[in-house]
């Protein structure tokens, strides 16, 4: 796959269709690829990577990249195409300046999950028939492929590319995912249990803003949390309240816009399941206002900027689940 | 007024009798009108009043053909036939017996009676 | 540094009896920025106002807090007072310590505490108040009336009377609308044409009125006082100016089998036509769907017989653009389609007609020259059944949930006219309710019953069955006598529900006005602003806002005209300064705000910015038109970056109030 | 967490839209309909002006309950503002519930300018509900707790 | 050397905790280790290191500095400083131990940061020699020997026993305080373990990372390098690297209105943030490139320039594993390296 992609990218660079390519660059280890922009065939040959660890969603980079001179080639996985579509809808990217090649999605792997098994000193990782063979300083270790996959790939919602100029490989389908199971499990807890769960989780937050800065829906020119004039700006949570505030407001601001790409939880250094907050909004929206998938298209109206006269009242919250 | 019975009829029919605007189109369209002591619109009205016993004791509940003309034509979507059916069910349940026993049937049969009508009649007259 | 004055009103004993006003003034005097804190018997009185004014002057106040009654009472009073001594009126805040404090609480201690907190909140807010200046925007002295029925005509005439130019856009080839099709009017039974046609002529001759017949509105831009509208003048293949309306072309046109819309399709017209004798403008129109010349280039007779040389087969749609200060919507109504009502056999039997078709059948200018004959065999009907509420008051998808309002009265009129003219005819009216709220309406209905012996039967018709002998069986239940009736009728007349014209929905989108679920335009306030739409500068006239009879339509038409004139007489309009504004440096251009704006006040433009990293970038940013924005604030919450804020109720002001209340 | 402290005086912030609910509150004043002094009203042009930030801010700074009042759906002075309010606030309240915040600390109520009695009754009921819950502990900022 | 059996760790912790507050690294959940106040039954984490560094003990993420109270129009200033309690941080790794030396150079030079000093004076750092370094470790590059950590006292684990050695007076006091539990032990197995670890340290993939191209005297060539654009291009501008970093020491000072007074607090800031060092005239680093460059220039050039060549990085590898897009100081050093 990597070779096909490099070959095609070189062709498009050569024929002048694009002047740059955004993809992933090899790292120091087997697992630390970095999103990168390539401008020459040599760079592509030397550094371009596409493997089990290229989980990063590059669509957000296109907010800036699509405004630069010349067209850029972007390799987008199915989930990334949803983010890109949503950005088109919000006029954040310039579609004409991006040439999109749809590439197959995951499941991608998460090195942290391998390390969590106690495997350390990793020198190389090979996928042999869905068993990971891991060369380490302390000998060779194995683990099942599926135990190392990214949280976001565990409940993949779609293998379909919702936007592309060309595809490498077959297009997939929208999947029946179990992505709301954990949300539902939480909903069925008592309020005290839910409170304890979230307090435990959110108290880990170090306000590094990785979730926000990686989020393709959080593309504000200036975030309210960075803007002293907003009245809620802060740089660190000085109190548990501020931990809650940041995550509630962030989830609310992306409600109806979040495509559920799962990047927030992937990058959280403290493994806070932040995607559950976004999914809660998605689940509520689906249940209360009809199925809606942000990024599935570029025209539909987000449920939060829409209404019907017969919408349910907030008392619906009182009527369901456990208090 | 029998409140429990009314509740039962409303629940089993799933009909909101308060939607009726008393236009009488149900009765105007009813093919069994002349056979019935109480007519579809009266069913709806009497159920609303809670006067279910009278309806249960009337033969009207068995005269409804369940043709659903009234349901089809009601401008308010009240579905009178479902009310009639619910009252009939209430009667059958309360009596704990059937309106018709199999013994009685042979005498009532007509040579030209279609098979389906007999089956339907059983549905209607018995539990 | 702020210099804030606090003024606590006793309101006689209204406040002072439950709130220790002196303590409130004392407590607030310690708030940051407060330089003077006073109490007074009646702050709204002239001497009270003078107290405020003097303090503003003496202490050079930068903000005023009046603790008194509801701002809905006296906010304006104190704003004016402040303005009179040179303090921006929007630097005045009211703490409502009467309606929301002294009047509802009994315990002096807690009520005083609460009054202090409300006062502190107002002080906290006024710290952040900014002087606001109401903007002004010029008003184009011209009105557009969309729809040329009686509503549109009346509105146009009234506006023209006031000396303003008005354009009427009518999609049909003549103005007149539904009223032109009607024979007589209730409850006076005077001839509709006799009262309508003079108005049509008046409209055509008024120097201030321009009629664009056979035209449609294709685009609306702008806002109150400053709309730019593109009108599409559809090709009628006849030069409007040259045509004299002599009718020679019509007479000679060989294509005679075109269903005549004006007579509801009950007879035929030619491919070139003038809808009716009194049409305005009296200009022929060629129907391209039937004209042989336009379809296959063979004929051209009309062109030959036209001495004025008005026929122009090559005519194209034309677009004209015009500026307007006000737009009045008068798109009217239509009877609903009855195709789905099988039980009334409307599609199967020509003798089952709608009331509007009956109007034409009875009209002297109608297909039968005014003699009521059955459409099927042109015989005189002896038994006529009227069915009320066909499609009205329906809870299903076939009909409309509302009462069409006019049917009870026109049916009484029809019944009466028939009984008057043909006393040998039996007339039955099946009704659910007879609704006659109107001047002389119930008397009229009673006359139909008592004087004309019309048989009113309570009960909706269940089934209409055409029979082989040409008669029609009407089956219905008489709910009062509790018997089922079968009436052997010659004709059945259905009072079809009325609905807004189909062009109204796309028009509403263009005008950014609201519609209800039935596609009737929504008025700005159901009681107090019934002829204005929620969008400033757009007014509603006639049945486009809800079912109406002629007098109501005319009344509303004149009311809408009055409102429009009220706008047009102004050289400029003062805008509410408490409007949203976008901070372009924060705006992402995501369009969330635009989507929730009920007024279409937000537009986007690409602007070049110097970015923090010293590069320049073209960014799409929102801007709010202060003349259109009404200040609801929906956009401020939709905006994730906080670029949108609302003057007078800014994020920081509201949060300051929250802080003051919660501490 | 049930605190049976009869002396507990909850702080209640009520956001009222200018056209209906604020007028409704005025009417309950005009009619001398009593409701607890705990309720403090903040006037907003429309219920759709209420940003979730304001609600959270109130809890942060010491509110024990927040209620939003607006025109009845369909009656909005700005035609559609309260419809947006309804969606936003439903979602927000659902999220607060998801985070384990007591449901009865928040409410959205439609109060027309004619419903002075409803306004007073609503405020009485809401204050009582919040009083039963006791002080806001799950969504408070400890720094703001009154000593 | 004095030692205690690993089986008696609980007893040891109980004994320490009896005298002062004890913090040990524990697994909060799988893969997330953090320092927690020891309570009975708590098990020490087997992870190589905690996600957040140990600097939190002396330089917490947020910290109240002073209170103000307003009475009418007067403002009262309230000094809220209190003498810190004595505490022990147990199990600190060599990298984090070195980070304290670096932080000391910032906070303990004149004017001394009294808040930091207060905690530093009362805290005893008990380090733990590494036995299983990870591929992300490169402390050796900065002259740190993972098998011989600094700290007030050092522990060595040979798998069966934990050995203790004091480096400072505080450390000696600490060992004395638990001496009743300790016994003299044979270090032969430990020496074996240490030797093995040293072997592995040599084989680490980043062991040969060179610092030759950096230092206080390499200012302009590094600052003007054309590599910064490419390197910073993928940086999303979050603060993960700075907040998990044991040596990042930037902070911001803010006021918070509690409604009944003002709390002036400081909190960590990140040079990766757009609002970092915003001043009246605006920001002085406006692009992500400048901000990105600032962080690495600080660690590799500015800090050594002011501190006798000592680098501002300890090679703990936290930023390598936690950066959302896997851009880190190692990649920067390799890219800028002059060969």
């Amino acid at each position: 796959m990597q070779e096909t992609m490099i070959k095609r990218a070189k062709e498009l660079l050569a024929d002048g269709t694009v002047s740059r390519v955004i993809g992933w660059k090899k790292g120091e280890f087997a697992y630390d690829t970095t999103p990168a922009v390539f401008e020459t065939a040599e760079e592509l040959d030397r550094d371009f990577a596409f493997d089990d660890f290229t989980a990063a969603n590059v669509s957000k980079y296109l907010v800036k990249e699509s405004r630069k001179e010349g067209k850029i080639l972007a390799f987008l996985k199915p989930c990334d195409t949803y983010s890109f579509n949503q950005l088109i809808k919000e006029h954040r990217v310039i579609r004409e300046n991006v040439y999109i090649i749809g590439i197959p999605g995951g499941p991608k792997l998460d090195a942290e999950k391998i390390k969590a098994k106690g495997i350390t000193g990793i020198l190389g990782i090979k996928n042999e028939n869905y068993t990971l063979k891991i060369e380490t300083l302390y000998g060779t270790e194995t683990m099942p492929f599926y135990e190392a996959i990214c949280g976001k790939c565990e409940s993949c919602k779609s293998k379909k590319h919702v936007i592309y100029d060309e595809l490498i490989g077959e297009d997939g389908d929208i999947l029946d995912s179990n992505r709301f199971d954990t949300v539902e499990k939480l909903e069925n807890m008592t309020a005290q249990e839910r409170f304890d769960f979230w307090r435990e989780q959110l108290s880990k937050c170090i306000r590094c803003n990785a979730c926000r800065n990686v989020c393709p829906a959080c593309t504000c020119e200036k975030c309210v949390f960075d803007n002293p004039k907003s009245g809620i700006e802060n740089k660190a949570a000085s109190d548990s309240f501020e931990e809650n505030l940041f995550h509630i407001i962030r989830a609310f601001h992306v409600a109806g816009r979040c495509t559920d790409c799962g990047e927030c939880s992937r990058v959280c250094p403290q493994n806070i399941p932040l995607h559950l907050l976004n999914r809660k909004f998605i689940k509520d929206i689906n249940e209360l206002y009809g199925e809606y998938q942000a990024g599935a298209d570029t025209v539909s109206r987000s449920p939060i900027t829409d209404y019907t006269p017969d919408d349910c009242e907030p008392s619906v919250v009182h009527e369901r689940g456990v208090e | 007024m029998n409140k429990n019975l009314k509740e039962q009829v409303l629940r089993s029919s799933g009909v909101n009798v308060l939607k009726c605007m008393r236009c009488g189109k149900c009765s105007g369209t009813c093919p069994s009108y002349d056979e019935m002591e109480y007519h579809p619109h009266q069913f709806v009205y009497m159920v609303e009043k809670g006067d279910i016993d009278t309806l249960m004791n009337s033969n009207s509940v068995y005269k409804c053909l369940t043709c659903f003309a009234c349901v089809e034509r009601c401008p308010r979507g009240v579905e009178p036939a479902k009310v009639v059916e619910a009252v009939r069910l209430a009667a059958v349940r309360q009596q704990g017996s059937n309106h018709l026993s199999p013994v009685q049937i042979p005498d009532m049969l007509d040579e030209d009676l279609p098979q389906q009508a007999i089956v339907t009649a059983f549905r209607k007259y018995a539990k | 540094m702020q210099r804030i004055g606090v003024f606590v009103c006793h309101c006689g004993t209204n406040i002072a009896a439950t709130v220790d006003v002196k303590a409130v003034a004392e407590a607030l005097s310690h708030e940051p920025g407060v330089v003077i804190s006073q109490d007074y018997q009646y702050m709204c009185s002239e001497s009270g106002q003078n107290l405020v004014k003097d303090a503003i002057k003496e202490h050079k106040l930068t903000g005023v807090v009046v603790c008194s009654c509801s701002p809905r009472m006296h906010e304006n009073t104190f704003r004016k007072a402040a303005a009179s001594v040179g303090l921006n009126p929007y630097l005045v805040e009211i703490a409502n310590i009467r309606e929301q404090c002294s009047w509802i609480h009994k315990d002096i201690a807690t009520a005083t505490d609460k009054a202090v907190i409300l006062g502190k909140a107002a002080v906290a807010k006024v710290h952040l108040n900014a002087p606001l200046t109401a903007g002004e925007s010029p008003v184009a002295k011209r009105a557009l009336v969309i729809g040329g029925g009686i509503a549109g005509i009346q509105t146009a005439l009234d506006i023209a009377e006031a000396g303003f130019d008005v354009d009427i856009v009518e999609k049909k080839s003549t103005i007149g609308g539904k009223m032109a099709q009607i024979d007589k009017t209730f409850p006076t039974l005077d001839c509709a044409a006799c009262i309508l046609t003079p108005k049509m002529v008046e409209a055509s001759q008024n120097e201030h009125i321009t009629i664009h017949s056979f035209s449609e509105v294709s685009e609306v831009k702008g806002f109150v006082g400053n709309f730019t509208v593109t009108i599409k003048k559809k090709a009628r293949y006849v030069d409007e100016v040259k045509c004299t309306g002599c009718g020679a072309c019509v007479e000679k046109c060989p294509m005679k089998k075109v269903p005549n819309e004006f007579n509801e399709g009950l007879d035929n017209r030619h491919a070139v036509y003038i809808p009716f004798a009194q049409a305005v403008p009296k200009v022929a129109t060629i129907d391209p769907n039937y004209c042989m010349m336009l379809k296959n280039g063979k004929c051209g007779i009309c062109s030959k017989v036209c001495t004025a040389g008005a026929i122009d087969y090559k005519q194209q749609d034309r677009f004209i653009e015009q500026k307007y200060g006000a737009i009045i919507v008068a798109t009217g109504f239509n009877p609903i389609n009855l195709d789905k009502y099988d039980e009334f056999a409307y599609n199967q039997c020509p003798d089952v007609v709608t009331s509007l078709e009956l109007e034409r059948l009875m009209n002297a200018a109608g297909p039968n020259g005014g003699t009521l004959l059955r459409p099927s065999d042109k015989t005189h009907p002896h038994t006529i059944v009227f069915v009320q509420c066909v499609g009205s008051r329906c809870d299903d998808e076939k009909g409309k949930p509302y009462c069409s309002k006019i049917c009870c009265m026109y049916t009484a009129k029809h019944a009466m006219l028939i009984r008057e003219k043909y006393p040998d005819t039996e007339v039955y009216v099946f009704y659910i309710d007879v609704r006659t709220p109107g001047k002389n309406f119930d008397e009229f209905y009673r006359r139909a019953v008592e004087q004309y012996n019309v048989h009113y039967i309570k009960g909706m018709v269940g089934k209409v069955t055409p029979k082989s002998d040409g008669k029609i069986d009407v089956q219905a239940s008489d709910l009062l006598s509790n018997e089922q009736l079968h009436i052997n009728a010659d004709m059945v007349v259905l009072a079809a529900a009325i609905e807004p014209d189909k062009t109204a929905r796309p028009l509403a989108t263009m005008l950014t006005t609201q519609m209800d679920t039935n596609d009737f335009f929504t008025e700005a306030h159901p009681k107090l602003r019934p002829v204005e739409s929620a969008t400033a500068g757009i007014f509603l006239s006639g049945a486009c806002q809800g079912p109406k009879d002629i007098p109501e339509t005319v009344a509303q038409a004149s009311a809408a005209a009055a409102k429009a004139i009220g706008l047009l007489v102004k050289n400029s309009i003062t805008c509410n300064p408490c409007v949203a504004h976008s901070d372009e440096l924060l705006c992402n251009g995501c369009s969330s705000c635009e989507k929730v704006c009920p007024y279409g006040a937000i537009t986007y433009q690409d602007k070049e910015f110097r970015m923090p990293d010293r590069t320049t970038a073209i960014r799409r940013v929102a801007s709010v038109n202060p003349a259109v924005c009404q200040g609801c604030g929906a956009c401020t919450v939709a905006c994730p970056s906080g670029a949108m804020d609302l003057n007078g109720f800014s994020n920081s002001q509201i949060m300051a109030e929250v802080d003051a209340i919660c501490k | 967490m049930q605190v049976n402290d009869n002396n507990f005086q909850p702080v209640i912030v009520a956001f009222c839209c200018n056209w209906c609910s604020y007028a409704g509150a005025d009417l309950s004043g005009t009619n001398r309909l009593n409701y607890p002094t705990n309720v403090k009203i903040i006037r907003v042009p429309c219920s759709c002006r209420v940003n979730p930030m304001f609600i959270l801010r109130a809890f942060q700074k010491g509110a024990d309950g927040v209620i939003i009042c607006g025109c009845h759906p369909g009656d909005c002075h700005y035609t559609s503002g309260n419809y947006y309010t309804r969606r936003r606030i439903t979602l927000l309240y659902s999220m607060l519930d998801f985070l384990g915040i007591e449901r009865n600390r928040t409410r959205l109520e439609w109060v027309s300018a004619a419903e002075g009695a409803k306004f007073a009754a609503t405020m009485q009921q809401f204050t009582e509900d919040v009083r039963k819950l006791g002080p806001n502990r799950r969504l408070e900022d400890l720094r703001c707790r009154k000593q | 050397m004095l030692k205690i059996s690993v089986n008696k760790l609980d007893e040891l912790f109980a004994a320490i905790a009896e005298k002062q507050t004890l913090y040990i690294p524990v697994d909060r959940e799988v893969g997330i280790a953090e320092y927690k106040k020891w309570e009975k039954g708590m098990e020490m984490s087997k992870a190589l290191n905690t996600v957040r560094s140990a600097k939190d003990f002396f330089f917490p993420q947020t910290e109240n500095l002073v209170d103000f109270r307003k009475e009418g129009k007067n403002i009262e200033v309230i000094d809220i400083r209190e003498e810190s309690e004595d505490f022990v941080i147990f199990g600190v790794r060599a990298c984090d131990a070195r980070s304290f030396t670096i932080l000391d150079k910032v906070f303990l030079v004149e004017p001394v940061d009294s808040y930091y000093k207060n905690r530093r004076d009362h805290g005893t750092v008990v380090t733990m020699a590494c036995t299983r370094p990870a591929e992300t470790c490169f402390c050796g590059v900065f002259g740190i020997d993972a098998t011989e950590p600094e700290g007030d006292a050092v522990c060595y684990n040979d798998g069966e026993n934990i050995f203790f050695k004091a480096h400072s007076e505080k450390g000696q006091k600490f060992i004395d305080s638990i001496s009743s539990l300790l016994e003299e032990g044979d270090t032969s197995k430990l020496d074996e373990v240490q030797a093995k670890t040293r072997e592995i340290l040599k084989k680490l993939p980043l062991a040969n990372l060179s610092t030759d191209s950096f230092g206080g005297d390499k200012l302009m060539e590094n600052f003007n390098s054309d590599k910064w654009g490419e390197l910073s291009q993928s940086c999303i501008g979050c603060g993960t690297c700075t907040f998990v970093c044991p040596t990042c020491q930037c902070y911001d000072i803010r006021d918070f209105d509690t409604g009944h007074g003002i709390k002036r607090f400081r909190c960590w800031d990140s040079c990766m943030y757009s609002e970092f060092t915003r001043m009246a005239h605006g920001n002085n680093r406006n692009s992500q490139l400048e901000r990105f460059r600032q962080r690495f220039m600080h660690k590799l050039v500015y800090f050594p320039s002011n501190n006798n060549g000592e680098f501002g990085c300890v090679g703990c590898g936290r930023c390598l594993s936690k950066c959302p897009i896997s851009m880190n100081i190692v990649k920067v050093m390799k890219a800028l390296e002059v060969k």
Side-chain angles (χ1 to χ4, degrees), chain C residues 14 70-72 75 79 93 96 98-100 103-106 110-111 114 117-118 125 514 522-524 526 529 534 595-599 630-638 645-646 649-651 654-655 657-659 661-663, chain D residues 11-13 15 18-20 22-23 25-46 48-54 57-59 61-63 75-81 84 88 113 146:
Chain C
N14 276 308
S70 172
R72 299 165 53 84
E75 188 173 55
R79 280 183 175 173
E93 283 295 326
N96 184 346
R98 191 178 76 173
E99 281 85 345
Q100 295 177 6
W103 275 355
I104 42 169
H105 305 311
K106 296 194 179 71
T110 53
K114 178 172 171 179
I117 291 173
L118 295 177
K125 186 181 181 192
Q514 307 286 311
T522 308
E523 57 280 12
R529 296 170 69 193
K595 295 214 169 72
V596 298
C597 179
Y599 306 102
Q630 303 287 311
C632 68
C635 54
T636 60
V637 184
D645 210 348
L646 190 64
F649 295 94
S650 69
N651 286 334
I654 295 175
M655 283 198 269
E657 286 181 273
V658 169
D659 288 359
I661 286 172
C662 294
K663 76 179 176 193
Chain D
V11 174
I12 293 186
V13 177
F15 291 98
N18 182 44
W19 305 97
C20 289
Y22 195 87
D26 278 355
L27 182 63
S28 70
T30 311
N31 292 341
R32 310 297 197 272
L33 299 170
N34 186 261
Y35 57 85
T37 49
N38 307 60
V39 178
K40 315 284 189 305
I41 295 170
I42 293 178
R43 185 164 68 127
V44 285
C46 174
C48 70
R49 177 67 187 93
V50 180
N51 196 311
M53 266 161 32
F54 305 160
R57 174 80 158 216
F59 284 122
K61 294 295 173 108
D75 292 349
C76 176
H77 177 79
Y78 305 100
T79 67
S80 52
Y84 295 120
R88 291 166 185 165
K146 281 153 203 120

Side-chain angles (χ1 to χ4, degrees), chain A residues 25 28 31-32 34-35 37 61 121-122 138 200 203-204 206-209 213 222 228 233 235 269, chain E residues 28-29 61 132-133 135 200 230 233-234 236-237 239 243 254 269 273 275 278 322 325-326 331 334:
Chain A
K25 191 176 176 173
E28 286 300 313
Y31 52 78
D32 61 337
T34 299
V37 176
Y61 290 105
I122 300 169
Y138 308 99
E200 165 68 16
S203 66
K204 294 188 294 189
I206 57 172
R207 264 310 284 285
C208 64
N209 290 320
N213 288 21
K222 187 173 217 108
E233 178 229 16
K235 284 189 171 169
Chain E
R28 182 166 188 158
E29 59 192 60
Q61 185 158 17
R132 271 172 78 84
E135 74 278 11
I200 290 170
E230 194 190 323
Q233 177 188 58
S234 51
I236 60 174
F243 289 176
R254 297 295 177 109
D269 203 343
Y273 288 173
E275 295 305 290
R278 195 172 63 98
K322 290 301 176 187
I325 48 100
S326 298
K331 290 184 180 178
K334 288 199 169 179

Side-chain angles (χ1 to χ4, degrees), chain E residues 179-286:
Chain E
S179 57
S180 58
L181 289 167
L182 305 181
E183 52 187 353
E184 203 56 44
D186 169 27
T187 59
S188 57
K189 188 171 180 224
L190 176 65
D191 295 339
E192 231 171 86
V193 169
Q194 289 282 76
K196 216 167 126 195
T197 309
R198 285 193 195 100
E199 275 313 299
I200 290 170
L201 284 170
K202 273 185 224 157
K203 284 194 284 181
L204 286 177
L206 303 178
N208 299 319
L209 191 65
S210 161
T211 57
D212 295 348
S213 307
F214 308 100
D217 53 340
K218 311 275 188 336
L219 176 67
M220 290 324 283
E221 53 268 51
N222 280 313
F223 190 89
N224 291 329
S225 167
D226 55 6
K227 297 283 202 284
W228 292 114
E230 194 190 323
L231 287 166
S232 66
Q233 177 188 58
S234 51
C235 176
I236 60 174
C238 73
T240 309
C241 51
T242 48
F243 289 176
V244 297
C245 179
T247 67
C248 271
Q249 74 280 115
C250 295
Y251 60 81
D252 192 10
I253 295 180
R254 297 295 177 109
D255 286 351
F256 177 77
D257 183 358
T258 63
H260 45 76
I262 308 289
K263 284 193 180 300
R264 173 158 295 175
F265 65 100
R266 72 166 160 202
C267 61
W268 293 352
D269 203 343
S270 168
C271 49
M272 293 295 190
Y273 288 173
S274 55
E275 295 305 290
F276 182 68
T277 61
R278 195 172 63 98
M279 290 176 275
H281 80 282
N283 284 9
N284 45 8
R285 280 178 287 276
N286 283 308

